[in-house]
């Protein structure tokens, strides 16, 4: 099972010259194609052109070169099958023992903002995946390498024994099928979206591993962190970690939740998150003021939480942040002074996100949620409203200040676990009731948390009121205005209660359940 002949054809030529030179030195005959052949020949490495093997020229701009029986017979022949051996001898063919192939850069091509359809299609590799699959299927006899990271290990085995172990070939074959599967999934997704079919009969997705995690939600659960191949900047998967220990499973989820909320705002904003719910959100004239409001919203719950800002963090804000224990701080950037201050805290993670695009006008993405035995897929909730979208349903009109606070509260409550009630005042949250089994229960928690700050605050509800009890509770707490979707068969009960207490109430016509 000695490796005598290798076929090398790579788009990404990282490390290939050194690898091929070592193979040649070990007595391996190298066959190659197109640009790879030219490179190896230029480097003085003995190499045979693919046309010498097939007896057929590379044609159609290189589209057809390896799709030939002389190639695939050499890859697929079962070496201990007498009939296969006879066919190889009679047809004057030869075995190919090692295949080194990586594919046309389809992902990098479609990631270009000005990519054309024709350019994308031209970068769909055909011959490469076919060779990889042939070699991987026949891994009992053929070694196949699709990742430059495996060059060194393969070389070590060849130098030591002249061949690779079956365990190595199995591992590399599995990697090939993962690679070609991901490649095809990306192509299928691209074409499905172009064809207006984002929810096709077969839903195939692919992700790239960022890192293994120490554990999942709890220490007894295994976990890893993956990102989309074309992930856009301004999220957790693309953030640069400037300081602190590695992220945990819960850190990643909380950080993602924090960024989702802070992106709702164009003005300077800071969000504090605990267990994927906001415990404090504030906006201000600058990020320093915004943080002070977010902290004041719930000085207890922010401890051990995650903080996200949508502006650069400077020294003054960093000094305040350093006064409490925080797991993560995310921001577009940090000034050198802020990094120096926060870097004194050994365990805090500092993530530089780059510029955060506002959620306003953002296109929805697809959200995948696993269920036992499958998954459900839905559009992400990127719906936003303006003042003109509101319907005033009470006798009293909200004041300009109340409208401002109602819209602020609505941006935040959509990110709170249902049933959700949020109280807002002075450009900050003052009470959050999250994840309760009934709406009035969520309201009680929000009011209790707000205390005296409930007086003069506004209330935002992620879904309609099934009865008037929440309005009565709000009135008793001194709340002056309410924003909710409306749409209950008992809307009139809530409207009547609001009128009786002099509360202004507006309907949005849209709910924001978050499970």
């Amino acid at each position: 099972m000695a490796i005598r002949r290798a076929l090398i054809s790579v788009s990404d030529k990282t490390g290939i010259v050194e690898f091929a030179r070592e193979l040649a030195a070990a007595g391996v005959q190298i066959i190659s194609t197109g640009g790879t052949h030219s490179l190896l020949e230029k480097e003085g490495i003995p190499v045979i052109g693919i046309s010498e093997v097939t007896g057929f020229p590379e044609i159609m701009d290189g589209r057809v070169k390896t799709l030939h029986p002389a190639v695939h017979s050499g890859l697929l022949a079962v070496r201990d099958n007498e009939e296969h051996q006879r066919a190889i001898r009679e047809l004057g063919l030869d075995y190919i023992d090692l295949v080194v192939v990586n594919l046309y850069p389809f992902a990098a091509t479609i990631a270009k903002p000005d990519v054309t359809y024709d350019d994308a299609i031209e970068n769909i590799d055909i011959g490469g995946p076919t060779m990889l699959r042939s070699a991987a299927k026949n891994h009992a006899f053929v070694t196949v390498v699709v990742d430059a990271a495996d060059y060194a290990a393969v070389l070590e085995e060849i130098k030591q024994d002249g061949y690779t172990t079956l365990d190595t070939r199995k591992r590399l074959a599995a990697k090939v099928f993962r690679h070609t599967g991901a490649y095809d999934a990306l192509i299928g997704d691209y074409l499905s979206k172009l064809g207006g079919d984002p929810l096709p009969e077969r839903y195939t997705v692919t992700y790239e591993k960022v890192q293994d995690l120490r554990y999942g939600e709890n220490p007894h659960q295994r976990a890893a962190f993956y990102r989309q191949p074309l992930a856009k900047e301004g999220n957790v998967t693309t953030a640069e970690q400037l300081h602190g220990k590695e992220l945990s499973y819960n850190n990643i989820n909380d950080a993602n939740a924090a960024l989702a909320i802070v992106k709702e705002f164009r003005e300077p904003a800071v969000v504090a998150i605990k267990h994927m719910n906001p415990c404090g959100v504030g906006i201000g004239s600058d990020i320093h003021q915004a943080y002070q409001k977010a902290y004041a919203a719930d000085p207890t719950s922010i401890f051990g939480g995650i903080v996200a800002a949508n502006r650069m963090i400077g020294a003054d804000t960093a000094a305040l942040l350093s006064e409490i224990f925080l797991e993560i701080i995310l921001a577009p950037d940090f000034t050198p002074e802020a990094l120096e201050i926060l870097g004194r805290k050994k365990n805090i993670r500092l993530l530089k996100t780059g510029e955060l695009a506002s959620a306003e006008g953002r296109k929805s993405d697809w959200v995948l949620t696993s269920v036992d035995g499958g998954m459900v897929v839905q559009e992400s909730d990127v719906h936003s409203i303006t003042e003109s979208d509101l319907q005033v349903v009470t006798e009293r009109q909200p004041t300009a200040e109340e409208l401002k606070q109602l819209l602020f509260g609505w941006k935040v409550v959509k990110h709170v676990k249902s049933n959700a009630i949020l109280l807002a005042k002075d450009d900050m949250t003052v009470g959050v009731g999250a994840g309760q089994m009934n709406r009035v229960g969520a309201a009680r928690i929000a009011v209790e948390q707000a205390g005296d700050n409930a007086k003069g605050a506004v209330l935002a509800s992620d879904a309609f009121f099934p009865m008037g009890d929440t309005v009565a509770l709000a009135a008793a707490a001194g709340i002056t205005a309410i924003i909710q979707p409306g749409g209950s068969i008992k809307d009139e009960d809530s409207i009547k209660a609001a009128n009786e207490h002099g509360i202004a109430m507006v309907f949005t016509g849209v709910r924001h359940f978050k499970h």
Side-chain angles (χ1 to χ4, degrees):
M1 296 304 300
I3 291 178
R4 300 181 302 105
R5 295 175 90 219
L7 194 160
I8 302 177
S9 179
V10 293
S11 292
D12 179 0
K13 295 176 174 56
T14 303
I16 197 61
V17 170
E18 295 78 10
F19 183 60
R21 183 173 284 119
E22 291 283 352
L23 287 176
V28 177
Q29 183 185 68
I30 297 173
I31 306 162
S32 193
T33 66
T36 307
H37 178 276
S38 298
L39 174 65
L40 299 183
E41 192 173 53
K42 179 182 176 183
E43 292 292 332
I45 298 170
V47 60
I48 297 172
I50 192 69
S51 295
E52 295 179 51
V53 175
T54 64
F56 199 86
E58 296 186 29
I59 61 173
M60 301 177 183
D61 300 318
R63 283 189 172 203
V64 180
K65 52 194 174 191
T66 60
L67 297 170
H68 194 280
V71 173
H72 289 277
S73 296
L75 295 176
L76 287 166
V78 176
R79 310 302 170 81
D80 55 6
N81 181 302
E82 291 184 6
E83 175 60 26
H84 289 201
Q85 291 180 28
R86 183 188 62 79
I88 289 286
R89 288 194 305 270
E90 291 182 355
L91 294 170
L93 303 174
D94 200 354
Y95 302 114
I96 297 174
D97 311 300
L98 170 64
V99 171
V100 184
V101 169
N102 56 54
L103 308 177
Y104 294 170
F106 182 78
T109 299
I110 63 173
K112 298 173 184 175
D114 58 347
V115 65
T116 65
Y117 173 77
D118 288 343
D119 194 21
I121 297 303
E122 199 58 34
N123 276 277
I124 296 175
D125 203 328
I126 301 300
T130 307
M131 286 190 293
L132 287 173
R133 289 172 62 84
S134 292
K137 175 178 179 175
N138 205 25
H139 65 266
F141 307 100
V142 180
T143 304
V144 56
V145 183
V146 74
D147 185 353
D150 293 309
Y151 291 170
V154 169
L155 270 177
E156 184 178 351
E157 291 191 15
I158 292 174
K159 286 180 177 180
Q160 179 175 312
D161 302 312
Y163 56 86
T164 58
T165 66
L166 180 57
D167 283 345
T168 293
R169 296 196 297 276
K170 284 181 178 179
R171 177 179 63 81
L172 294 174
K175 195 169 192 176
V176 162
F177 285 114
R178 292 196 300 270
H179 183 77
T180 57
Y183 193 77
D184 286 342
L186 200 59
I187 295 168
D189 181 65
Y190 174 77
L191 293 175
S192 294
K193 288 176 179 175
L194 281 183
D197 191 13
L199 294 172
E201 77 288 345
R202 292 184 183 274
Y203 198 90
T204 307
V205 295
T206 182
Y207 292 87
E208 300 167 346
K209 183 183 279 189
V210 177
Q211 66 188 77
D212 288 306
L213 301 175
R214 286 175 296 157
Y215 52 80
E217 280 185 289
N218 300 289
H220 61 275
Q221 295 169 269
R222 295 173 63 188
F225 182 26
Y226 291 83
R227 68 166 158 246
Q228 294 174 333
L230 303 176
K232 295 180 174 61
E233 292 185 359
N235 58 54
V236 180
T237 65
T238 58
E240 178 186 359
Q241 186 165 350
L242 303 177
H243 177 74
K245 58 186 180 181
E246 70 178 30
L247 298 172
S248 72
Y249 178 94
N250 292 330
N251 289 158
I252 293 164
N253 279 300
D254 283 342
N256 183 63
L259 287 178
I261 300 175
V262 84
K263 288 176 183 177
E264 293 282 348
F265 299 97
R266 291 186 180 276
E267 55 269 79
V270 171
V271 175
I273 288 284
K274 203 71 171 288
H275 302 300
M276 294 182 67
N277 277 307
C279 56
V281 180
I283 59 176
S285 58
D286 56 34
I287 213 68
H288 187 64
Q289 185 184 58
Y291 171 70
Q292 289 175 307
K293 290 183 177 182
Y295 174 81
D298 190 345
T300 301
S301 297
I302 195 174
F303 184 85
I306 310 270
V307 168
N310 65 356
R311 299 286 195 282
M312 178 185 286
I313 289 179
D316 55 349
T317 309
L320 294 180
L321 288 162
S322 68
E323 293 176 357
I324 60 172
F325 167 62
L326 294 169
E327 290 277 3
I328 303 176
I329 301 172
L330 302 100
D333 206 348
F334 300 78
T335 65
E337 296 79 11
L339 274 177
E340 195 279 325
I341 292 168
L342 294 169
R344 298 172 196 160
K345 300 174 77 71
K346 180 179 178 181
N347 291 326
I348 195 170
R349 293 106 163 156
L350 303 178
L351 298 185
K352 175 183 173 180
T353 64
E355 184 177 355
L356 297 175
S358 169
E360 293 179 18
R362 184 165 61 95
K363 292 181 180 179
S364 65
D365 202 350
W366 295 99
V367 179
L368 283 57
T369 304
S370 62
V371 296
D372 193 8
M375 70 173 181
V376 289
V377 183
Q378 69 167 345
E379 288 183 304
S380 54
D381 188 359
V382 297
H383 188 276
S384 60
I385 61 170
T386 63
E387 185 177 330
S388 62
D389 297 313
L390 303 178
Q391 177 191 4
V392 180
V393 295
T394 51
E395 295 168 359
R396 186 171 83 76
Q397 297 279 324
T399 66
E401 179 61 22
E402 285 172 336
L403 278 173
K404 180 185 176 185
Q405 301 307 314
L406 289 170
L407 290 170
F408 168 83
W410 188 251
K411 288 180 178 181
V412 180
V413 77
K414 69 184 278 191
H415 298 279
V416 180
K417 293 284 187 181
S418 302
N419 286 314
I421 295 290
L422 182 137
L423 306 187
K425 182 180 179 181
D426 299 329
D427 297 334
M428 58 187 280
T429 58
V430 293
V432 181
Q436 298 307 299
M437 285 63 73
N438 60 75
R439 196 151 299 280
V440 72
R444 286 195 184 99
I445 292 172
V447 166
E448 181 180 352
Q449 184 189 13
D452 290 341
N453 280 328
K455 294 177 182 177
V458 304
L459 180 150
S461 174
D462 67 327
F464 62 60
F465 299 147
M467 53 194 68
D469 50 4
T470 302
V471 178
L473 179 67
I479 288 162
T480 63
I482 293 173
I483 186 170
Q484 60 133 319
S488 169
I489 59 173
K490 293 187 177 181
D491 274 347
E492 287 303 319
D493 292 352
S494 298
I495 295 170
K496 180 181 178 182
N499 284 331
E500 288 175 353
H501 295 287
I503 292 175
M505 187 156 65
V506 299
F507 284 0
T508 65
V510 176
R511 79 176 190 199
H512 287 296
F513 275 159
K514 185 176 175 64
H515 286 81

